[in-house]
Amino acid sequence: MATKRWVALLRGINVGGNKKVPMAQLRELAAELEWTEVATYIQSGNVIFAAKGKPATLEDELEQALQAHFGFTVPVLVRSADEWLGYAKGSAFPAAESERPNLLHLALSKSPPKADAKKALQQYCKAGEQVVVRGDAIWSDFVEGVGSSKLTPAVLDRVFGSTVTARNWKSV
């Protein structure tokens, strides 16, 4: 199996002082897993690296390493660099990309969404949100802001299973 470039997203770290994962330690953990060319993006828990393996295996390896090192569970989602470039080429909401990029979120599902996933989310779109599901990508345009939205990470998890949201998704 050839070495590939990957992007790993960690869910719920460094938010409100909870589940602190310093990026230097995250890079060290990745190196201990024999991942190479490791880089992190701000304090987000986004990791870019090269490794051999399949996404689910890489996710499991990092989740176990985080649990062993920090003593808490951190869900991890891994996508290939090529898949990530596909997300970055354009969202489901091009106008929002330029007009309100901070209100445009990309959430990724660990498992393929069910056929009725978008319909299930519509009942939570109460504050002008718009949602598009494309493959494992859940694009949300929080037109009126995120603060009053009922479209929360917990809702995404109920509908899709485990998800990770990437804000600043073009910067990763």
Side-chain angles (χ1 to χ4, degrees):
M1 184 176 288
T3 299
K4 288 177 63 172
R5 300 280 296 155
W6 301 96
V7 175
L9 306 176
L10 281 62
R11 179 175 177 175
I13 63 161
N14 301 334
V15 178
N18 296 315
K19 292 189 176 181
K20 289 188 179 186
V21 177
M23 295 301 98
Q25 290 181 31
L26 179 56
R27 289 188 298 273
E28 289 171 11
L29 281 177
E32 289 172 15
L33 295 172
E34 298 183 8
W35 297 356
T36 60
E37 303 174 48
V38 178
T40 54
Y41 177 72
I42 57 174
Q43 288 297 106
S44 64
N46 298 343
V47 184
I48 301 165
F49 63 97
K52 293 179 181 178
K54 295 183 178 185
T57 303
L58 299 169
E59 290 169 354
D60 289 343
E61 288 175 355
L62 186 53
E63 286 174 351
Q64 290 174 21
L66 290 162
Q67 175 70 43
H69 186 81
F70 292 104
F72 50 77
T73 302
V74 178
V76 175
L77 186 137
V78 172
R79 293 295 182 264
S80 72
D82 289 339
E83 288 173 303
W84 198 261
L85 289 172
Y87 303 130
K89 282 183 183 174
S91 74
F93 302 105
E97 264 185 79
S98 59
E99 295 168 14
R100 52 187 177 281
N102 59 326
L103 298 179
L104 177 61
H105 294 188
L106 165 64
L108 298 173
S109 174
K110 275 192 154 193
S111 56
K114 296 175 184 161
D116 65 345
K118 181 179 177 183
K119 183 180 177 186
L121 288 180
Q122 292 303 323
Q123 66 182 314
Y124 297 98
C125 294
K126 305 290 185 196
E129 299 95 349
Q130 299 178 59
V131 176
V132 170
V133 178
R134 288 186 185 157
D136 66 341
I138 305 122
W139 294 97
S140 303
D141 179 8
F142 292 93
V143 178
E144 297 175 22
V146 178
S148 61
S149 178
K150 303 295 181 202
L151 194 59
T152 64
V155 166
L156 291 178
D157 283 352
R158 278 197 299 274
V159 174
F160 293 94
S162 183
T163 61
V164 177
T165 300
R167 294 171 192 88
N168 302 319
W169 47 273
K170 282 207 166 197
S171 301
V172 176

